[in-house]
Amino acid sequence: MKFMKLGSRPDTFYTAEAVRSVSSEVSSDLIVQVKGSRYLLHKFPLLSKCLRLQRICSESPESSQHQIVQLPDFPGGIEAFELCAKFCYGITITLSAFNIVSTRCAAEYLQMTEDVEKGNLIYKLEVFFNSCILHGWKDSIVTLQSTKAFPLWSEDLGITSRCIEAIASRILTHPSKVTLSHSYSRRGRDDVSCNGAESQRHKPAAKGWWAEDIAELGIDLYWRTMIAIKSGGKVPSNLIGEALQIYASRWLPKISRDGSISNKAASDSDSESTGEVTSKHRLLLESIVSLLPAERGAVSCSFLCKLLKAANILNASSSSKMELARRVGVQLEEARVSDLLIPSLSYTNDTLYDVDIVMTILEQFMLQGQSPPTTPPRAKGEFERRRRSRSAENVDFEFQESRRSSSASHGSKLRVAKLVDGYLQEIARDMNLPLSKVITIAESVPEFARLDHDDLYRAIDIYLKAHPDLNKSERKRLCRILDCKKLSVEACMHAAQNELLPLRVVVQVLFFEQARAATSGGHVTELPNNIKALLAAHNVDPSRPPAPLSTTASIPAEDQWSVSGLKSPKSKLSTLRMKLAEDDDIDENDLNPEGIGRSSRLKALCTLPTRPKRMFSKLWSINRSGSEKS
């Protein structure tokens, strides 16, 4: 870190009875009061360099011995004033990145300009700032951090903007041309020679070496610095995303499940209330969201979901939540089930997880490949002002363009279908989860994307167990999303004795199971004509083996399928007889006047004979006769 020494005289300031004085043969004639501290000084050395003190002394009447000057609003406090006073006396002072901002503001307040005396303090500070501070990486960052204590003065003097431009320009420079002096050099200091030249020549600098260094900045300064870096157009979007992830992990608090902020985050400022801390974190989060690159894949889907969880807990703006939901939707195939388990802390929603935001994410995923409008429609009279730079103002347009150019592939839809089914299994345990939302989420995935319905059946079974109060109509609505043709043998065996399923579903399951068993076992050479017609109507190939049971999702022990005792034909028929005796679930309300079913999922049931018990007993007798012949 660079420093500058001014003056040559030794320090003669001393404290006596809470008053700072300077040793001199000449008696003091000026008393200066700065923020509660009193200085007993001399007029000549101070007034010869400080225009403000000249004016104050000329306007105020002189006392018999000492003239009193009060400076209550002095920037930088007593430390900065003492540096300026020592400069006036010619006493040696040391300036560095840690105190140059406060000293520069103090010199400006005292008007220590060239008009008063050539080579005055302001001139020397500007030379040191421009020639040394702005050319050092660490010096620029430390100086920029110190401007936080004097925001208005630093802005008026151009210190903040010049530091930001210097930092951004060095980041935009090729790494090999940058002399590092902060954390990157700290990481490699043990292997660097005294002059550092030889080691750095053989060790290329990392592309994202700057991310950890600028992560020490406050959110306002960091936001402006990142805007300057992005506007340069030379840093890849993935490095911008990596820097944002480092900053978020550095400053975003660890939030517990009930929405409370960790003690470490709350103790950063003891004088601030929890509401003030939450408000700061909310601003930080929204600023990070506004800095996210528009390019797909610039940040991971997992990181976007973490931001979305934090946005829910911190009650961020709806625009920030929608922005994150859209970005997650574009990369949804990369997500895991745990990423979508977003806590819901809304007072209007009693569900454990925020299901509505996941429905929005799925909608955005399915919109890929379509042509959305370049600008969203705005309601009349609604205007929203957001703090954005010229590069950030076009983020919505860039995002729409990137989404238009990308289309969800067939493979990504298959992965999302498995993701949705796993998500349904997790949220199905929530007793407050409405049935309509379960159906909406399940139907948001295209039908072709589910190669099998085993995971979907697991979710339905879990939901039925967690909601035993569902009536017959609601259970039928839920099971309409299930395609019995796509159930594996194990799933069919479990569904055949599931007491929670509507009778209509059990009939379908048993029918397809018997038909499949008859063909796959090789005991029946030819199926009856009515079964052939039914299989053909549903595009089922009797020669193709059933899809294997999916075991990708981890299911608790109480939700595992038990198939004990199902190998006996009596258990299947007894279950069917019991359900038929309990309730004739095939009512006329589900059929139109022509006798054709409303839903395609019920076609198999509608083509069955009017007496299902007789038909299944006939099927079972055919199966038994075939086995006896063999």
Side-chain angles (χ1 to χ4, degrees):
M1 177 175 287
K2 298 180 177 63
F3 62 92
M4 178 178 70
K5 286 180 179 276
L6 297 176
S8 57
R9 293 180 55 188
D11 190 356
T12 56
F13 272 70
Y14 67 94
T15 302
E17 297 180 358
V19 177
R20 292 284 288 172
S21 305
V22 58
S23 299
S24 176
E25 297 178 356
V26 181
S27 61
S28 60
D29 55 358
L30 181 65
I31 296 177
V32 181
Q33 292 182 347
V34 180
K35 296 195 181 278
S37 298
R38 176 172 289 193
Y39 285 84
L40 196 59
L41 304 173
H42 303 82
K43 286 184 180 180
F44 175 73
L46 268 69
L47 270 60
S48 62
K49 291 182 173 61
C50 304
L51 181 60
R52 189 183 188 96
L53 293 181
Q54 290 181 19
R55 294 174 178 174
I56 293 176
C57 290
S58 63
E59 294 173 357
S60 61
E62 294 187 12
S63 61
S64 58
Q65 184 178 2
H66 296 92
Q67 189 168 5
I68 300 177
V69 175
Q70 295 185 356
L71 305 175
D73 56 344
F74 192 86
I78 58 176
E79 293 84 2
F81 175 78
E82 192 161 319
L83 283 175
C84 294
K86 288 179 179 179
F87 174 79
C88 295
Y89 279 97
I91 297 174
T92 302
I93 60 174
T94 302
L95 300 170
S96 66
F98 290 102
N99 61 6
I100 189 172
V101 176
S102 59
T103 308
R104 177 67 180 86
C105 296
E108 187 70 22
Y109 180 89
L110 294 173
Q111 299 178 6
M112 304 175 71
T113 62
E114 293 294 287
D115 297 335
V116 183
E117 184 179 82
K118 293 296 182 182
N120 212 340
L121 183 57
I122 290 179
Y123 171 77
K124 294 183 181 296
L125 290 174
E126 284 293 327
V127 172
F128 176 62
F129 180 73
N130 293 322
S131 61
C132 296
I133 296 295
L134 296 181
H135 287 271
W137 172 251
K138 181 179 180 180
D139 297 288
S140 300
I141 294 179
V142 172
T143 303
L144 182 59
Q145 284 179 308
S146 62
T147 61
K148 185 178 180 181
F150 318 96
L152 298 179
W153 284 93
S154 301
E155 289 292 343
D156 294 339
L157 298 175
I159 300 175
T160 305
S161 58
R162 284 184 287 174
C163 286
I164 291 175
E165 291 174 3
I167 293 172
S169 64
R170 299 189 80 77
I171 293 175
L172 296 174
T173 306
H174 192 274
S176 62
K177 299 180 182 179
V178 179
T179 302
L180 304 180
S181 58
H182 201 21
S183 64
Y184 179 77
S185 62
R186 224 177 23 243
R187 288 191 294 267
R189 189 166 293 168
D190 294 338
D191 299 326
V192 178
S193 59
C194 295
N195 57 14
E198 188 67 20
S199 298
Q200 292 295 336
R201 193 185 315 162
H202 296 290
K203 293 185 178 182
K207 292 182 179 180
W209 53 266
W210 47 271
E212 294 183 3
D213 292 348
I214 66 172
E216 299 299 322
L217 298 172
I219 184 58
D220 292 336
L221 298 175
Y222 182 83
W223 190 87
R224 293 173 61 180
T225 304
M226 290 299 296
I227 289 298
I229 295 171
K230 292 178 66 178
S231 61
K234 295 182 180 180
V235 179
S237 60
N238 63 319
L239 293 184
I240 297 292
E242 178 186 343
L244 293 175
Q245 189 165 350
I246 291 174
Y247 190 81
S249 62
R250 169 69 176 83
W251 291 104
L252 276 181
K254 293 182 179 180
I255 305 175
S256 61
R257 174 61 190 85
D258 58 358
S260 60
I261 301 175
S262 63
N263 295 330
K264 180 180 179 181
S267 62
D268 289 342
S269 179
D270 297 334
S271 61
E272 295 179 344
S273 62
T274 304
E276 291 174 339
V277 173
T278 303
S279 179
K280 286 187 176 182
H281 291 147
R282 185 186 306 118
L283 174 62
L284 187 148
L285 175 67
E286 293 174 355
S287 301
I288 292 176
V289 173
S290 68
L291 291 172
L292 290 173
E295 292 79 5
R296 172 192 174 101
V299 292
S300 65
C301 185
S302 177
F303 174 61
L304 291 173
C305 291
K306 289 179 181 178
L307 291 180
L308 192 53
K309 292 178 181 179
N312 251 24
I313 294 176
L314 295 173
N315 195 23
S317 63
S318 57
S319 59
S320 297
K321 292 181 183 178
M322 181 57 64
E323 182 90 1
L324 290 170
R326 291 188 303 179
R327 293 177 183 274
V328 173
V330 172
Q331 303 174 221
L332 186 57
E333 68 272 13
E334 305 171 10
R336 299 168 297 181
V337 173
S338 59
D339 295 332
L340 298 182
L341 298 178
I342 302 171
S344 175
L345 300 176
S346 173
Y347 293 103
T348 60
N349 194 352
D350 295 331
T351 57
L352 185 62
Y353 300 108
D354 192 341
V355 181
D356 295 331
I357 196 68
V358 175
M359 293 166 62
T360 303
I361 291 173
L362 289 169
E363 180 183 355
Q364 295 298 323
F365 172 77
M366 297 309 302
L367 284 176
Q368 293 184 78
Q370 301 181 14
S371 296
T374 55
T375 56
R378 295 183 179 179
K380 293 183 179 181
E382 279 190 17
F383 297 96
E384 182 182 9
R385 293 183 176 271
R386 301 180 66 185
R387 184 191 67 176
R388 292 195 175 191
S389 69
R390 285 175 292 180
S391 62
E393 288 174 355
N394 298 325
V395 66
D396 290 334
F397 175 77
E398 294 174 1
F399 182 82
Q400 298 287 5
E401 289 296 324
S402 64
R403 189 176 69 179
R404 181 185 290 113
S405 61
S406 63
S407 178
S409 63
H410 180 76
S412 65
K413 291 181 179 178
L414 295 180
R415 289 189 292 271
V416 169
K418 299 293 290 184
L419 175 69
V420 168
D421 291 347
Y423 175 74
L424 286 173
Q425 294 174 38
E426 292 294 332
I427 66 174
R429 298 177 176 85
D430 188 356
M431 298 181 61
N432 297 322
L433 181 63
L435 175 64
S436 59
K437 293 186 177 182
V438 176
I439 296 175
T440 301
I441 293 176
E443 291 180 342
S444 63
V445 179
E447 187 175 352
F448 70 86
R450 285 191 176 95
L451 300 181
D452 64 77
H453 278 220
D454 287 2
D455 290 337
L456 182 60
Y457 171 68
R458 283 192 183 100
I460 292 175
D461 183 50
I462 295 172
Y463 188 83
L464 291 175
K465 290 178 181 178
H467 302 78
D469 297 334
L470 291 178
N471 56 37
K472 180 176 65 176
S473 176
E474 290 172 333
R475 287 188 286 120
K476 288 168 60 177
R477 283 179 54 204
L478 176 63
C479 292
R480 284 194 183 105
I481 63 178
L482 188 67
D483 189 350
C484 297
K485 301 189 305 295
K486 293 186 177 182
L487 292 178
S488 65
V489 175
E490 292 86 346
C492 287
M493 294 173 69
H494 183 276
Q497 67 170 8
N498 195 337
E499 301 291 337
L500 301 175
L501 293 177
L503 177 62
R504 182 173 303 226
V505 177
V506 177
V507 171
Q508 284 184 285
V509 168
L510 288 175
F511 172 78
F512 285 111
E513 182 185 358
Q514 294 290 349
R516 185 163 47 190
T519 56
S520 61
H523 303 301
V524 180
T525 57
E526 186 175 0
L527 292 173
N529 293 332
N530 60 340
I531 299 181
K532 283 184 177 181
L534 185 60
L535 293 176
H538 289 273
N539 298 321
V540 177
D541 186 2
S543 62
R544 182 177 300 175
L549 176 63
S550 174
T551 58
T552 56
S554 58
I555 307 299
E558 62 268 16
D559 295 326
Q560 295 287 350
W561 296 346
S562 173
V563 296
S564 59
L566 290 181
K567 295 183 179 180
S568 172
K570 294 182 180 180
S571 62
K572 300 175 184 178
L573 295 180
S574 61
T575 302
L576 180 58
R577 290 193 189 98
M578 178 182 60
K579 286 186 173 289
L580 287 173
E582 177 185 345
D583 183 17
D584 185 8
D585 199 50
I586 308 175
D587 51 21
E588 297 179 356
N589 294 331
D590 291 327
L591 302 176
N592 58 22
E594 288 78 16
I596 302 175
R598 297 178 188 175
S599 173
S600 61
R601 298 185 181 91
L602 301 180
K603 287 183 179 179
L605 185 60
C606 295
T607 54
L608 290 173
T610 57
R611 302 182 66 181
K613 287 193 291 186
R614 180 181 301 175
M615 191 241 0
F616 275 100
S617 61
K618 182 177 180 181
L619 281 175
W620 191 250
S621 62
I622 293 174
N623 195 12
R624 293 181 59 186
S625 61
S627 59
E628 291 174 358
K629 291 180 181 180
S630 61

